[in-house]
Amino acid sequence: MTATLEAAAPSPAGEIPSFTVTLRIRRFNPEVSEEATWEDFTVEAHGTDRILDALHKIKWDEDGSLTFRRSCAHGVCGSDAMRINGRNRLACKTLLKDVNPDKPITVEPIKGLPVVKDLVVDMEPFFASYREIMPFLITSGNEPSKERYQSPEDRAKFDDTTKCILCAACTSSCPVFWTDGQYFGPAAIVNAHRFIFDSRDEGGSQRLEILNDKEGVWRCRTTFNCTEACPRGIEVTKAIQEVKRAMITRAF
Amino acid sequence: MAHGTAAVAKVDSPRSPYVRRKTTRGNYELYSWVFMRASGVVLLVLIFGHLFVNLMVGDGVHAIDFGFVAGKWSNPMWQVWDLLMLWLAMIHGTNGVRTIINDYATRDLTRGILKGLLLLAFTVVVVLGTLVIFTFDPCPPDAPAELLASFCTA
Amino acid sequence: MPTAPAGTLYRGREGMWSWVAHRVTGVLIFFFLLVHVLDTALVRVSPEAYNAAIGTYQTPIMGLGEAGLVAAIVFHAFNGIRILLVDFWAKGPKYQKVMLWVVVGLFVVTMAGFLPRHLINVFTGGH
Amino acid sequence: MQTHQYDVVIVGAGGAGMRAALESSKEARTAVISKLYPTRSHTGAAQGGMAAALANVEDDNWEWHTFDTVKGGDYLVDQDAAEILAKEAIESVLDLERMGLPFNRTPEGKIDQRRFGGHTRDHGQSAVRRACYAADRTGHMILQTLYQNCVKQDVEFFNEFYVLDLITDHDLTTEEIADGEEVNATGVVAYDLATGEIHVFQAKAIIFATGGAGKIFKTTSNAHTLTGDGMALAYRRGLPLEDMEFFQFHPTGLAGLGILLSEAARGEGGILRNSEGERFMERYAPTIKDLAPRDIVARSMANEVREGRGAGPNKDYVLLDLTHLEPAHIDAKLPDITEFARTYLGIEPYTEPVPVYPTAHYAMGGVPTNIKGEVLRDGVNVVKGLYAAGEVACVSVHGSNRLGTNSLLDINVFGKRSGRAAAEYAKTASFHELPEDPTVRVVEQLDEMRNRPDGERIADIRKALQDTMDLNAQVFRTGDSLNAALADIRELQKRYRNASVQDKGKLFNTDLLEAIELGFLLDIAEVTVVAAINRKESRGGHYREDFPNRDDANYMLHTMAYRRPTAASDQAEGHVEGYFDHVEEFDGYKVVLGSKPVVQTRYEPMERKY
Ligand SMILES: Cc1cc2nc3c(=O)[nH]c(=O)nc-3n(C[C@H](O)[C@H](O)[C@H](O)COP(=O)(O)OP(=O)(O)OC[C@H]3O[C@@H](n4cnc5c(N)ncnc54)[C@H](O)[C@@H]3O)c2cc1C
Ligand code: HEM
Ligand code: SF4
Ligand code: F3S
Ligand code: FES
């Protein structure tokens, strides 16, 4: 081995001193007890560490039974939405130093979906609502042999809502969804928006019809929790309002 | 299966197949949403006018008595004003409370009962209020004169 | 029923708290309205009955309550306009927080105009 | 235990798996089994683009694309496959557009294209705009669009099911099977994470689309879940793995974290600089500079660092400079990756250069297949009813180094092909008998791991593995470093046999599954290193400092690695005296290396210069 290989393990920009943080995690394991409990863990962390890193440290070094979902670790797969210090966030996108590590950081599962174990919730109801709004391009008539054209301006109309990673941070931050699990929820509306405002799509009015449901867009009370929670920075409430306005224009 | 472990109780499959209870489409929620906003704007004018006249002009609350009311309702403008305010506010408020019931009462039965009560309150108040405004006599013949408005000159 | 230690309160921001306030004030006004229509209906019974009822509004305690009610209405009304702007103005969602602070500002101004006069009326004025 | 029967079973719901599902579910009863919800698959992390010679913005054609692919792969590419890739690229991009993918558009409304490393016009004249893209979330849009169409077609998914075994009707690890004799894949065994229950899927055709294995390294752009499951399963059942020594290190990972900043950053004009502010790529690749293929750029960067021109307090990274670009342009074309720099390093890319260093990115090797996607069990014969597509597979369109944007293309072209082929096959084939108890191996493995009282922690072993791989088998390799890695891996294999998990439950036991995944990682790291030791030349992503030149005379062959019982013969298909007759003995089994010729159609190997 050559000496130069040492350089192959770079350290993060600048040397950041380590510090300790306490995570107060809401634990629940139906195999052990029907009750959820709070449990504190203290771990050593560095400046660029995220909540996910801290959770991994706990799982890998302290308590292997701590259960949570994760995959990409950089905010693009939508696996690890959870409630950190009272707000929905992605664990992999939240730096410890940004959530005041001086006090214990509370970590809970997202609200409104049945908890399966620790930080894992049942995502089926969430995806079911998503599937209901016909989240696919609907067109009729002859397919062009080349691509369909779309002007950059038309493309821009739904750009924001194409960013959704279906993490459920929005839907599970919505006060209406907490108490009324039948509400379609912002994520489903965002994904409907993505198609309703796509100039190539012809299924807009069907989707509007679906969301005109008692549990559809009118359920939204513009509390903006969804917009605040969205890790992709999607202007969720704005999208919902655009859908509402489209319905009104259609009705009058 | 042979691979049983120390696991305790048998737990139900955590991933429930999920179905929407029922779909209800139609423009009802849409109209009610639009109504909330339209009535809100109108109410803003009506209520602020009402409050201003009742609480700010002259002696404020202390000026309110039978005579004051009678004085107002002898004017058809105020009659229409208050009638409109009554109706709009009641529909607006009732509809608002209906939403709230939908939000917090998750069981169908509870929802039903609460909405029934709401409807009852709404009907009673609106009917009563309307009757009062329309059948109101500013100068009831057998009342002591000092309680009446000044224009009730016997 | 298992008594699990409760999860924490969701730490929503301006949008959520303004909605909570809007909802609370809405319900408050609604229940007041029920009572208010009933007491006003007493004008049909007799002037004495009405004046007796309305007399209770004129006690300082009710006067304070009334101030609260006006506050509720004022907030609900101004915030209602904010909601309307969020709904119908394309830039509304973007400026919702700013607008909430405007609502709060207007609320303070209005109450500053109303309260002194009202309180003076309640505590000093009268018959 | 539950048993299911489907015509086609697809393992993996990433781009390749879902593209296959869209084809096969039209013709045959199809189930997709995935250990993640489909939209969580790592295809969604892909940023830059998908290559196709649409010629929407610049003169281009698929032959140039073929040439670039072959040259980019340092001529270890099977050229018949590369031709298909480049030719069918156009159709696959249009397919996606028709399915609704929101590509960025040109002012005329056509699909916009941008530059990417190694893609050139007219055989290397200058960089060409060939990558179709949707901002810097092309993979995300592909994954979403494919999932959306699966919803439309009502494709059946089994989400959060881990496939843990492949069932075949012959035991390939022990039986000597005559040339041409039929071997059939009959089903898979899966573990339902939510309940801990075992499911057996009997199928006429099975498609593996389980993605990559980046987690054998510490610094990687890959997801925690990319643990080489499909490769390891096939390998354990006696199927060969091809070209595993070739692992791509992407030049621009966020320093220290490995999170990827797409090559699109350079495609849009970003420049790599060393501590002196010098645009050092001008020295290494004078024509296309920062847009040279990844192996070259990654090596150049590592070289700058080791010659002391690295930036930062420890001089251990270089800088990606975007500061000369308009913020509006950055926002329009690269919003996500600039946000990564902000979120994770606190760097504002408008005004500050971003610290970057190579990160383990892509496995060029994998389960060998032919151009129909059928899996090979040796140099020539296929396993009937078994297909593979995507990063798990090696059709060898990438040779020894994949060009950026060719992988999203690969998953679409070969995903589609394998889906079609599988459905086609399932129509005529019949179900094959499953063994008496198909789950024994899996159940034993799980029980052993779960019930072992108190052993070493899985995480410690995994960390040791990743550390040694980063140290010894990364951008620069030598015989010594690789042997050190192999020695470490052997040690870790032993330790793994005594490791235990803390979570003993059945419900959502991710502790247990991480342990199983570590087993896959160890096996994959092992073949990777063994194959790398054997290849005493430098080619594409595999750079041996002790053998810095390409050696076409001896090594213009694909490596085929087999795992065999110690008692089996030491000769593998494609055994070449001296070069591909490497055998490595382990406790209880051995790794035998053979080879497979490279298919050449029209491009003669040349020196690779940019
Ligand atoms: C950060 C990043 C950026 C990239 N950018 C580009 C780019 O710009 N252009 C380009 O062309 N390529 C790019 N690539 C490469 C490309 O994205 C991948 O090679 C490609 O997406 C792999 O797709 P796949 O379908 O083979 O696998 P994946 O998308 O990784 O899917 C694997 C699937 O298999 C499932 N699975 C795995 N194991 C099991 C098991 N045991 N049981 C059941 N299911 C299992 C998983 O759940 C998942 O659904 C990038 C890669 C990365 C990491
Ligand atoms: C003064 C003028 C008023 C305005 C501008 C106004 C405006 C609004 C608006 C726009 C809403 C809809 C909020 C939403 O959909 O999220 C609303 C809701 C509501 N309003 Fe009013 N309103 C006014 C007066 C009243 C009055 C007099 C009452 C009581 C009778 C009332 C009770 C309610 C209730 C209960 C709700 C439902 C709250 C909720 O769902 O959270 N409002 N108001
Ligand atoms: S809209 Fe945002 S918060 Fe909601 S699911 Fe999509 S990405 Fe997550
Ligand atoms: S949080 Fe809920 S109420 Fe509307 S604005 Fe968002 S959906
Ligand atoms: S792990 Fe993928 S979003 Fe956090």
Side-chain angles (χ1 to χ4, degrees):
Chain A
M1 229 193 69
T2 46
T4 47
L5 281 173
E6 306 302 340
S11 58
E15 274 317 311
I16 302 136
S18 64
F19 52 92
T20 57
V21 314
T22 301
L23 265 66
R24 178 163 297 163
I25 303 175
R26 196 163 162 78
R27 306 290 308 268
F28 170 67
N29 183 353
E31 284 179 302
V32 174
S33 156
E34 293 205 345
E35 289 178 29
T37 49
W38 289 102
E39 192 170 351
D40 282 7
F41 296 93
T42 304
V43 291
E44 189 84 1
H46 299 273
T48 51
D49 278 354
R50 303 151 250 170
I51 298 283
L52 181 62
D53 296 313
L55 291 173
H56 270 146
K57 273 190 190 131
I58 296 168
K59 184 175 182 65
W60 293 343
D61 301 339
E62 286 185 48
D63 183 352
S65 70
L66 179 66
T67 304
F68 50 91
R69 290 193 179 98
R70 51 78 182 120
S71 181
C72 72
H74 64 285
V76 295
C77 77
S79 299
D80 58 348
M82 50 188 78
R83 202 139 65 91
I84 297 165
N85 272 358
R87 287 189 187 135
N88 282 2
R89 296 161 170 272
L90 294 179
C92 63
K93 246 193 138 175
T94 309
L95 265 60
L96 287 167
K97 65 182 169 68
D98 293 345
V99 284
N100 184 16
D102 301 336
K103 282 195 276 178
I105 298 169
T106 60
V107 182
E108 302 157 79
I110 48 178
K111 258 176 108 151
L113 291 161
V115 180
V116 174
K117 182 173 173 183
D118 290 349
L119 303 171
V120 174
V121 298
D122 178 9
M123 295 291 286
E124 283 309 316
F126 174 80
F127 279 106
S129 290
Y130 166 79
R131 287 191 293 264
E132 269 182 89
I133 51 97
M134 305 205 289
F136 38 78
L137 195 74
I138 298 171
T139 54
S140 59
N142 43 350
E143 292 258 303
S145 59
K146 286 211 82 179
E147 77 241 46
R148 284 189 207 83
Y149 284 20
Q150 181 171 49
S151 71
E153 296 74 45
D154 281 343
R155 166 71 176 69
K157 283 188 192 138
F158 63 100
D159 184 66
D160 201 34
T161 43
T162 62
K163 292 193 264 182
C164 176
I165 53 175
L166 295 170
C167 67
C170 54
T171 296
S172 63
S173 76
C174 177
V176 179
F177 183 76
W178 299 334
T179 51
D180 176 13
Q182 294 279 306
Y183 172 38
F184 276 79
I189 304 173
V190 159
N191 283 282
H193 177 282
R194 179 248 170 276
F195 288 101
I196 294 169
F197 292 91
D198 187 335
S199 59
R200 300 169 296 173
D201 184 77
E202 291 162 14
S205 73
Q206 278 161 277
R207 283 188 204 94
L208 291 177
E209 197 50 47
I210 293 170
L211 286 175
N212 207 8
D213 192 281
K214 193 150 90 36
E215 302 291 352
V217 303
W218 306 115
R219 218 74 181 77
C220 165
R221 310 245 69 80
T222 53
T223 65
F224 287 92
N225 277 5
C226 50
T227 305
E228 305 274 359
C230 180
R232 302 283 292 155
I234 299 171
E235 293 182 84
V236 182
T237 312
K238 182 166 176 241
I240 298 175
Q241 298 302 73
E242 283 172 7
V243 173
K244 285 181 190 160
R245 284 206 290 273
M247 282 187 194
I248 290 177
T249 329
R250 182 166 148 270
F252 288 100
Chain B
M1 290 295 311
H3 65 289
T5 58
V8 207
K10 174 150 170 37
V11 185
D12 291 342
S13 172
R15 273 187 312 237
S16 44
Y18 171 89
V19 262
R20 183 163 297 288
R21 280 195 298 183
K22 58 175 184 256
T23 44
T24 39
R25 293 174 198 168
N27 282 342
Y28 180 74
E29 293 293 330
L30 185 154
Y31 291 130
S32 103
W33 186 89
V34 173
F35 172 80
M36 286 305 271
R37 274 128 252 263
S39 61
V41 177
V42 180
L43 278 170
L44 182 77
V45 177
L46 296 177
I47 292 181
F48 276 49
H50 175 82
L51 289 178
F52 189 74
V53 169
N54 286 21
L55 299 181
M56 297 293 283
V57 183
D59 284 342
V61 245
H62 293 291
I64 299 177
D65 58 7
F66 184 85
F68 177 84
V69 177
K72 268 180 91 185
W73 282 351
S74 59
N75 180 341
M77 200 268 289
W78 283 116
Q79 255 189 325
V80 174
W81 185 291
D82 283 5
L83 187 74
L84 203 60
M85 192 164 69
L86 172 73
W87 277 75
L88 285 182
M90 280 311 291
I91 303 175
H92 178 104
T94 305
N95 195 34
V97 174
R98 179 187 67 95
T99 318
I100 297 176
I101 294 174
N102 281 341
D103 276 1
Y104 298 119
T106 36
R107 289 191 23 229
D108 280 339
L109 184 68
T110 345
R111 265 191 195 189
I113 293 175
L114 287 175
K115 282 188 195 170
L117 285 175
L118 181 68
L119 189 69
L120 184 73
F122 172 79
T123 331
V124 169
V125 170
V126 166
V127 169
L128 186 68
T130 310
L131 280 176
V132 168
I133 294 175
F134 276 123
T135 62
F136 178 69
D137 178 352
C139 311
D142 50 351
E146 73 275 14
L147 294 182
L148 301 182
S150 50
F151 54 78
C152 291
T153 39
Chain C
M1 279 299 277
T3 47
T8 62
L9 189 68
Y10 194 88
R11 297 227 333 251
R13 310 199 32 159
E14 290 88 338
M16 181 173 116
W17 296 118
S18 70
W19 160 77
V20 170
H22 195 83
R23 176 158 280 192
V24 170
T25 51
V27 177
L28 215 71
I29 306 168
F30 179 74
F31 284 110
F32 166 79
L33 187 65
L34 295 187
V35 177
H36 187 53
V37 172
L38 293 179
D39 67 49
T40 307
L42 292 177
V43 292
R44 272 299 281 133
V45 178
S46 75
E48 293 87 344
Y50 179 74
N51 284 357
I54 213 73
T56 58
Y57 281 134
Q58 287 153 353
T59 66
I61 294 167
M62 284 310 283
L64 284 178
E66 209 166 32
L69 181 74
V70 171
I73 293 179
V74 169
F75 176 83
H76 188 94
F78 288 165
N79 192 53
I81 301 301
R82 168 177 160 272
I83 295 174
L84 253 107
L85 287 171
V86 166
D87 289 334
F88 295 109
W89 177 37
K91 293 216 171 84
K94 194 169 158 199
Y95 293 116
Q96 58 102 359
K97 283 185 195 169
V98 183
M99 290 195 299
L100 179 65
W101 297 119
V102 172
V103 165
V104 171
L106 283 176
F107 172 80
V108 170
V109 170
T110 316
M111 290 311 284
F114 165 77
L115 269 189
R117 244 206 79 95
H118 177 74
L119 293 182
I120 289 169
N121 278 338
V122 169
F123 289 105
T124 63
H127 309 275
Chain D
M1 187 185 87
Q2 288 190 40
T3 312
H4 312 257
Q5 219 181 37
Y6 286 91
D7 290 340
V8 179
V9 161
I10 299 174
V11 185
M18 290 202 285
R19 189 66 191 82
L22 286 176
E23 294 303 319
S24 82
S25 65
K26 277 191 263 186
E27 312 274 334
R29 242 188 107 233
T30 301
V32 183
I33 310 176
S34 171
K35 70 177 179 181
L36 299 171
Y37 273 97
T39 55
R40 315 272 186 247
S41 303
H42 212 55
T43 294
Q47 303 164 352
M50 168 169 170
L54 297 182
N56 271 2
V57 282
E58 266 173 22
D59 202 15
D60 198 3
N61 66 57
W62 66 264
E63 282 164 331
W64 296 349
H65 186 181
T66 312
F67 172 77
D68 289 336
T69 303
V70 171
K71 181 178 171 192
D74 223 349
Y75 297 93
L76 198 72
V77 171
D78 283 338
Q79 298 186 9
D80 55 340
E83 278 171 31
I84 291 174
L85 182 80
K87 214 188 294 181
E88 295 184 8
I90 299 167
E91 192 54 35
S92 352
V93 167
L94 297 181
D95 275 352
L96 287 170
E97 198 284 330
R98 284 185 212 120
M99 286 183 207
L101 196 139
F103 283 108
N104 274 43
R105 300 286 173 159
T106 64
E108 310 88 76
K110 294 197 258 184
I111 296 171
D112 198 10
Q113 297 185 279
R114 67 173 160 211
R115 299 194 181 94
F116 239 82
H119 290 281
T120 66
R121 65 184 300 272
D122 199 8
H123 313 95
Q125 297 297 332
S126 60
V128 75
R129 294 168 58 157
R130 186 178 288 148
C132 310
Y133 68 101
D136 52 359
R137 49 173 187 278
T138 316
H140 164 77
M141 287 325 323
I142 289 178
L143 191 67
Q144 296 284 331
T145 304
L146 293 175
Y147 181 58
Q148 287 157 1
N149 282 273
C150 285
V151 171
K152 185 175 184 177
Q153 279 187 30
D154 248 331
V155 173
E156 235 178 295
F157 284 98
F158 289 83
N159 296 327
E160 297 187 329
F161 275 56
Y162 285 65
V163 170
L164 297 183
D165 204 0
L166 165 70
I167 314 169
T168 52
D169 61 357
H170 290 66
D171 185 353
L172 293 162
T173 58
T174 53
E175 286 175 47
E176 290 291 335
I177 291 154
D179 226 23
E181 195 185 326
E182 208 178 278
V183 176
N184 293 291
T186 56
V188 296
V189 182
Y191 173 94
D192 178 0
L193 183 63
T195 60
E197 224 187 311
I198 305 283
H199 292 244
V200 175
F201 290 81
Q202 188 182 20
K204 294 175 183 167
I206 298 160
I207 306 177
F208 267 29
T210 55
K215 277 290 154 181
I216 56 176
F217 293 95
K218 182 170 117 198
T219 310
T220 174
S221 64
N222 283 198
H224 284 287
T225 45
L226 286 177
T227 46
D229 304 14
M231 299 175 192
L233 292 181
Y235 177 61
R236 288 176 180 179
R237 293 289 145 255
L239 297 174
L241 292 180
E242 184 176 347
D243 287 344
M244 292 300 287
E245 63 272 38
F246 297 105
F247 209 96
Q248 179 167 80
F249 297 90
H250 193 292
T252 52
L254 280 183
L257 297 171
I259 296 172
L260 195 76
L261 300 185
S262 169
E263 203 167 295
R266 282 168 287 138
E268 296 291 346
I271 293 171
L272 291 167
R273 298 186 189 280
N274 58 23
S275 58
E276 288 147 30
E278 183 205 3
R279 182 176 194 180
F280 58 84
M281 282 312 297
E282 281 174 336
R283 273 187 280 122
Y284 298 95
T287 340
I288 52 177
K289 304 183 182 93
D290 300 279
L291 285 176
R294 290 174 179 173
D295 56 328
I296 296 178
V297 181
R299 257 192 317 273
S300 310
M301 289 167 63
N303 199 50
E304 288 300 299
V305 165
R306 70 173 173 181
E307 289 180 2
R309 289 188 296 275
N314 301 325
K315 296 184 155 297
D316 56 3
Y317 53 77
V318 300
L319 297 167
L320 175 65
D321 185 3
L322 300 172
T323 54
H324 54 289
L325 303 178
E326 280 296 315
H329 183 72
I330 295 180
D331 285 348
K333 300 292 176 69
L334 308 165
D336 284 4
I337 60 172
T338 45
E339 166 149 349
F340 293 154
R342 277 180 211 126
T343 310
Y344 297 113
L345 291 184
I347 298 266
E348 175 48 68
Y350 295 160
T351 53
E352 292 167 86
V354 184
V356 290
Y357 199 77
T359 178
H361 185 58
Y362 185 86
M364 266 75 74
V367 179
T369 70
N370 61 22
I371 51 174
K372 276 161 74 186
E374 292 172 297
V375 171
L376 301 174
R377 66 176 152 93
D378 48 38
V380 270
N381 296 297
V382 300
V383 180
K384 298 215 92 177
L386 187 61
Y387 301 78
E391 196 168 335
V392 67
C394 180
V395 222
S396 211
V397 285
H398 307 307
S400 60
N401 171 59
R402 170 177 75 87
L403 287 189
T405 68
N406 265 356
S407 171
L408 289 179
L409 183 55
D410 177 11
I411 61 178
N412 276 286
V413 169
F414 290 98
K416 180 172 171 180
R417 282 181 155 251
S418 61
R420 282 218 174 137
E424 212 50 53
Y425 174 74
K427 271 198 235 164
T428 55
S430 49
F431 286 104
H432 289 271
E433 195 85 18
L434 289 176
E436 195 60 38
D437 186 356
T439 64
V440 263
R441 278 189 298 226
V442 171
V443 171
E444 243 170 48
Q445 188 192 9
L446 289 170
D447 276 353
E448 214 179 293
M449 183 57 78
R450 193 166 13 206
N451 297 337
R452 200 174 291 138
D454 212 13
E456 205 183 343
R457 278 176 186 280
I458 292 300
D460 296 341
I461 300 173
R462 184 175 44 220
K463 180 162 181 313
L465 171 72
Q466 293 169 340
D467 284 344
T468 185
M469 289 299 283
D470 261 25
L471 193 63
N472 297 315
Q474 228 216 10
V475 180
F476 294 114
R477 302 165 168 182
T478 66
D480 288 347
S481 75
L482 289 167
N483 278 307
L486 189 60
D488 285 346
I489 293 169
R490 287 193 151 164
E491 190 53 38
L492 294 170
Q493 288 276 27
K494 284 197 201 113
R495 282 163 63 183
Y496 178 65
R497 289 188 207 141
N498 293 313
S500 76
V501 296
Q502 291 186 298
D503 193 339
K504 313 282 186 194
K506 292 188 81 179
L507 214 64
F508 228 94
N509 191 341
T510 50
D511 202 20
L512 179 64
L513 270 300
E514 276 190 33
I516 301 295
E517 287 173 337
L518 174 60
F520 298 146
L521 288 177
L522 285 166
D523 286 354
I524 297 302
E526 189 177 282
V527 247
T528 303
V529 172
V530 170
I533 290 173
N534 182 59
R535 191 173 283 273
K536 298 184 181 60
E537 62 155 354
S538 289
R539 181 191 296 272
H542 172 67
Y543 190 81
R544 288 280 298 257
E545 291 189 282
D546 40 358
F547 300 95
N549 298 315
R550 198 171 84 191
D551 177 0
D552 286 347
N554 296 317
Y555 289 100
M556 183 53 101
L557 287 166
H558 296 295
T559 309
M560 301 286 270
Y562 301 80
R563 179 162 153 161
R564 293 276 178 263
T566 18
S569 128
D570 277 356
Q571 295 210 345
E573 169 85 29
H575 161 96
V576 179
E577 207 70 45
Y579 301 109
F580 288 93
D581 67 353
H582 190 95
V583 178
E584 197 77 45
E585 299 263 352
F586 291 84
D587 298 347
Y589 62 91
K590 61 189 174 189
V591 180
V592 183
L593 297 186
S595 70
K596 191 168 75 111
V598 175
V599 181
Q600 233 182 63
T601 55
R602 40 177 158 172
Y603 302 107
E604 282 294 318
M606 292 186 300
E607 200 199 336
R608 188 156 153 266
K609 267 223 246 33
Y610 288 92

